[in-house]
Amino acid sequence: IKVDSKFGGVAGGKKYFIAGILFKFATDSSGLYGGDHFAAKAARLELNSVMSFSGAASPYPEIGYPLTALLDIRGY
């Protein structure tokens, strides 16, 4: 499976688009975060932000949000 370059950018790690689903692997392959641990923290904060805006008390109920999940498999 090859990295999909049409999503651009280095933040978020390597990106793959398979069967209509975007997968981002939160690794620090570009040296942007200072290590894989900090790249994983950034991914968690991205999930937290989606959760806070899409909650029941959201101030913007008319805005749609993507289905987002964070998987931690052996530290990645």
Side-chain angles (χ1 to χ4, degrees):
I1 301 173
K2 295 181 180 179
V3 174
D4 196 333
S5 61
K6 73 180 174 187
F7 293 100
V10 294
K14 294 181 180 179
K15 298 160 185 82
Y16 303 88
F17 192 72
I18 304 161
I21 302 171
L22 175 65
F23 294 92
K24 297 191 315 182
F25 287 88
T27 58
D28 192 21
S29 58
S30 63
L32 180 67
Y33 295 104
D36 288 345
H37 177 73
F38 295 112
K41 280 187 168 188
R44 179 63 187 174
L45 291 173
E46 184 178 326
L47 176 63
N48 287 347
S49 65
V50 170
M51 288 172 42
S52 67
F53 275 100
S54 66
S58 173
Y60 309 105
E62 66 278 0
I63 296 176
Y65 302 94
L67 176 62
T68 306
L70 182 65
L71 304 174
D72 186 347
I73 302 171
R74 296 185 183 177
Y76 291 96

